[in-house]
Amino acid sequence: MAAFAKTLASLSPYWVILGFVVILAALFLLFRASAKTRPFCGQLLVLSAICLMAALFFILTFSFKVSKMATGASAATMPRAWVVCLIPVAILCFVSILGKSGVPDAPFGANWKRVIIVIVAIFVDVFLFKYIGYYVSSAVFLIFLMLLMGERRLACLAAVPVGWCVFTYFVFAKFLFISLPTGSLWASIF
């Protein structure tokens, strides 16, 4: 597995993206071919993409260098923990979607502008890590997404970003001893 992970890590990101797109295109054709999965094709593709990304990150963790003196958590700990959580949840979602309670996909085109806005917001969020830091950038990003999706309750708009920032602080800073970007703005102030 380590040799495959090192080979995958040495590939150009464009080849990885191309492979990802080819696999998703094949899954699209597979889902569209079956009458049972056709009404849920979009939802199944999103879950498949999540599982593929989780598998990719899991495989890449085998290429991480581990110190012989290291004990406890390593750089591979968090991606593997996410995979352990994501895959069972995705499987439960697959079962739920294909069960009697599944709701068919909405017609394509209804929310394409919202999708573009979210994609741009993700890139802006990552870009802002360098300037305002991970915590502030993520909190603003979550509030923006919640407002975009129609959430208007102030308690939710405050609790979710604060809860996420506290959770990531304890997981990364206290458990894994990994400092997330604080941003040049905060570094110049403090």
Side-chain angles (χ1 to χ4, degrees):
M1 182 66 91
F4 178 68
K6 287 181 182 179
T7 303
L8 189 61
S10 69
L11 288 175
S12 166
Y14 298 115
W15 286 111
V16 176
I17 292 169
L18 178 64
F20 193 78
V21 169
V22 167
I23 292 170
L24 285 179
L27 287 172
F28 174 77
L29 295 174
L30 182 71
F31 294 147
R32 295 297 291 175
S34 170
K36 182 170 174 95
T37 57
R38 188 176 303 124
F40 312 106
C41 187
Q43 298 171 65
L44 296 175
L45 278 176
V46 168
L47 287 172
S48 298
I50 290 170
C51 289
L52 280 171
M53 290 296 290
L56 174 68
F57 290 135
F58 179 75
I59 291 168
L60 287 175
T61 61
F62 288 97
S63 70
F64 295 169
K65 293 179 182 175
V66 179
S67 169
K68 293 184 190 224
M69 302 297 285
T71 59
S74 70
T77 303
M78 203 61 202
R80 290 178 182 174
W82 280 108
V83 170
V84 167
C85 294
L86 281 174
I87 298 296
V89 169
I91 291 169
L92 288 173
C93 288
F94 271 110
V95 170
S96 174
I97 288 169
L98 295 176
K100 296 187 189 268
S101 64
V103 178
D105 293 342
F108 180 75
N111 291 318
W112 67 271
K113 290 179 185 174
R114 193 178 289 179
V115 171
I116 300 296
I117 291 170
V118 170
I119 291 170
V120 169
I122 290 169
F123 283 104
V124 168
D125 180 45
V126 172
F127 174 76
L128 289 177
F129 285 178
K130 181 178 179 181
Y131 301 104
I132 61 174
Y134 171 81
Y135 298 108
V136 176
S137 179
S138 294
V140 170
F141 175 71
L142 286 171
I143 291 169
F144 173 76
L145 283 186
M146 291 170 69
L147 289 170
L148 184 67
M149 300 301 166
E151 181 60 57
R152 298 294 183 258
R153 295 174 293 174
L154 292 177
C156 261
L157 289 170
V160 170
V162 168
W164 177 253
C165 289
V166 168
F167 170 77
T168 55
Y169 172 75
F170 279 105
V171 167
F172 284 94
K174 297 297 182 185
F175 176 66
L176 296 174
F177 303 108
I178 298 171
S179 61
L180 294 171
T182 55
S184 59
L185 175 69
W186 301 116
S188 65
I189 294 174
F190 299 109

